[in-house]
């Protein structure tokens, strides 16, 4: 009788939920003009990569964030963190208090142009939907995600997708096969608004080339051939990122010299992403880049991978 009572009490306290949050690279990032709301009209093709953060979300007496791993010291643990905003917003919608402790184990470089903060916010939405048994559908979560930031809906979506508007309007893109990537992480980060502002400045000064439409790139993705894809990769923000961080030029050159098919700045940078032919060539390129001293650290990754998803839910009390 006594044991039964104890078991009943324990079963109503939900177990922690763990969620994997993928990083992204923009295979094509076409930046249009500055809009009246301060955002730029984008045409972008995102790919979610296996380099990821892992979150654990557990019931607690107050909202608390903890961060471990890659660049943890630079991540705020207060209300300025997008994860905090995501938890508060979803709690508001659910009509409850955000009483959870969220532990973020960073694998994605902080302020690196790989949407790590956005991925964590997307993972928080998925995790809380599960923990609180809200039963919200993906499109309902996507609407909350778009309020939080331009890259958050894609982190939820995953795979390969065409993004328009601020980047929050998504259409899935067919990508055959896995692609092999090497990521060169830079010392320090870049602020996304500052990189967009730098591009606006470069465009006032001169006429930096603009990417066209990504049709050919989408065909190359459907073919699954990295040789076809490589020459079509492009990022309008690259000129601005390199203008703010001229050392990236050397990193980009070193990756191609090491045998990558192509390299580009990931999103607003400063991470550089290199497309490679095979897993083996990615490992070789990564080793050579590490030795060349042109990056703080180097990782390999594959894409596409799924969006933010539950990795386990421990059923035991
Ligand atoms: O949407 P998010 O908060 O991630 O955007 C951060 C900043 O990046 C914006 O305030 C804006 O300066 C810039 N941005 C932009 N155009 C976009 C997306 C972001 O100018 N489409």
């Amino acid at each position: 009788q006594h044991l039964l009572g104890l078991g009943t009490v324990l079963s109503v306290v939900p177990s922690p939920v763990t969620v994997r949050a993928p990083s992204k690279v923009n295979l094509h990032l076409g930046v249009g003009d500055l809009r009246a709301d301060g955002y730029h009209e984008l045409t972008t093709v995102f790919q979610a990569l296996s380099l990821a953060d892992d979150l654990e979300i557990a019931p607690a007496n107050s909202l608390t964030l903890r961060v471990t791993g890659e660049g943890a010291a630079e991540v705020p643990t207060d209300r300025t963190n997008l994860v905090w905003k995501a938890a508060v917003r979803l709690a508001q919608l659910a009509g409850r208090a955000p009483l959870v402790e969220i532990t973020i184990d960073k694998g994605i470089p902080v302020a690196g142009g790989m949407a790590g903060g956005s991925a964590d916010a997307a993972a928080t939405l998925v995790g809380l939907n599960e923990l609180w048994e809200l039963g919200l559908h993906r499109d309902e979560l996507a609407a909350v995600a778009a309020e939080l930031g331009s890259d958050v809906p894609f982190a939820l979506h995953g795979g390969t997708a065409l993004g328009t508007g601020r980047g929050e309007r998504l259409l899935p893109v067919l990508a055959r096969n896995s692609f092999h990537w090497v990521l060169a992480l830079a010392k320090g980060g870049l602020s996304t608004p500052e990189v967009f502002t730098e591009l606006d400045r470069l465009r006032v000064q001169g006429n930096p080339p603009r990417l066209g439409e990504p049709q050919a790139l989408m065909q190359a993705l459907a073919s699954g051939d990295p040789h076809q894809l490589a020459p079509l990769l492009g990022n309008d923000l690259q000129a601005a990122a390199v203008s703010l961080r001229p050392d990236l030029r050397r990193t980009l050159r070193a990756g191609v010299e090491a045998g990558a098919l192509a390299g580009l700045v990931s999103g607003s940078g400063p991470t550089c992403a290199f497309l490679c032919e095979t897993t083996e060539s990615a490992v070789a390129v990564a080793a050579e880049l590490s030795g060349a001293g042109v990056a703080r650290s180097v990782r390999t990754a594959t894409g596409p991978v799924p969006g933010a998803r539950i990795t386990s839910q421990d059923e035991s009390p």
Side-chain angles (χ1 to χ4, degrees):
Q1 183 66 45
H2 174 73
L3 282 177
L4 199 68
L6 185 63
T8 310
V9 170
L10 288 175
S11 69
V12 298
V13 178
S15 313
V17 171
T18 58
V19 196
R20 174 148 301 169
S23 60
K24 62 86 187 163
V25 61
N26 302 78
L27 310 178
H28 173 105
L29 180 46
V31 181
D33 293 322
L34 180 62
R35 310 192 313 204
D37 65 1
Y39 286 89
H40 294 73
E41 201 62 28
L42 301 185
T43 304
T44 186
V45 178
F46 295 104
Q47 181 157 90
L49 301 188
S50 56
L51 182 72
D53 289 353
D54 285 298
L55 281 76
E56 187 187 79
I57 307 181
N61 294 324
S62 64
L63 179 54
T64 314
L65 299 191
R66 294 192 328 121
V67 186
T68 61
E70 176 70 38
E74 287 108 78
V75 181
T77 55
D78 61 10
R79 65 190 61 239
T80 62
N81 191 307
L82 213 48
V83 161
W84 186 292
K85 293 177 188 168
V88 167
R89 185 72 189 111
L90 207 64
Q92 213 173 38
L93 285 176
R96 56 188 295 158
L99 301 179
V100 283
E101 179 177 73
I102 304 178
T103 307
I104 308 167
D105 187 17
K106 299 292 302 174
I108 308 173
V110 175
M114 298 194 73
S118 302
D120 296 342
T124 300
L125 297 179
V126 170
L128 290 176
N129 190 36
E130 177 83 14
L131 186 76
W132 293 339
E133 297 177 341
L134 302 179
L136 295 170
H137 290 285
R138 284 270 156 170
D139 47 345
E140 294 174 286
L141 292 180
V144 183
E147 281 176 37
L148 292 167
S150 307
D151 286 339
V152 186
F154 176 72
L156 211 54
H157 189 282
T160 308
L162 175 69
T164 55
R166 285 152 54 216
E168 88 288 11
R169 287 207 307 265
L170 298 172
L171 286 172
V173 167
L174 175 72
R176 209 177 302 267
N177 297 337
S178 271
F179 293 93
H180 302 280
W181 295 94
V182 171
L183 302 160
L185 281 51
K187 211 176 281 162
L190 276 173
S191 140
T192 301
E194 283 174 23
V195 175
F196 274 102
T197 301
E198 178 67 6
L199 180 62
D200 293 335
R201 197 184 66 80
L202 293 175
R203 284 178 172 175
V204 168
Q205 278 189 347
N207 232 335
R210 293 189 188 213
L211 290 177
E213 294 300 315
Q215 268 79 9
L217 176 120
M218 292 199 279
Q219 275 168 19
L221 283 165
S223 82
D225 178 3
H227 290 273
Q228 260 190 57
L229 182 61
L232 301 169
L233 298 171
N235 178 1
D236 279 345
L237 287 179
Q238 180 160 315
V242 170
S243 167
L244 295 170
R245 289 283 302 262
D247 57 317
L248 296 181
R249 227 186 282 278
R250 242 178 87 222
T251 311
L252 288 166
R253 204 178 321 119
V256 174
E257 281 167 8
L261 300 175
L264 83 174
V265 167
S266 178
S268 54
T271 306
C272 293
F274 298 95
L275 180 63
C276 297
E277 197 171 6
T278 59
T279 313
E280 294 74 29
S281 71
V283 170
V285 168
E288 193 153 334
L289 274 179
S290 298
V294 293
R296 173 173 61 83
S297 124
V298 179
R299 302 275 187 279
T300 58
T302 59
V305 300
R309 68 184 201 282
I310 305 287
T311 42
S312 78
Q313 188 163 19
D314 187 14
E315 296 299 349
S316 59

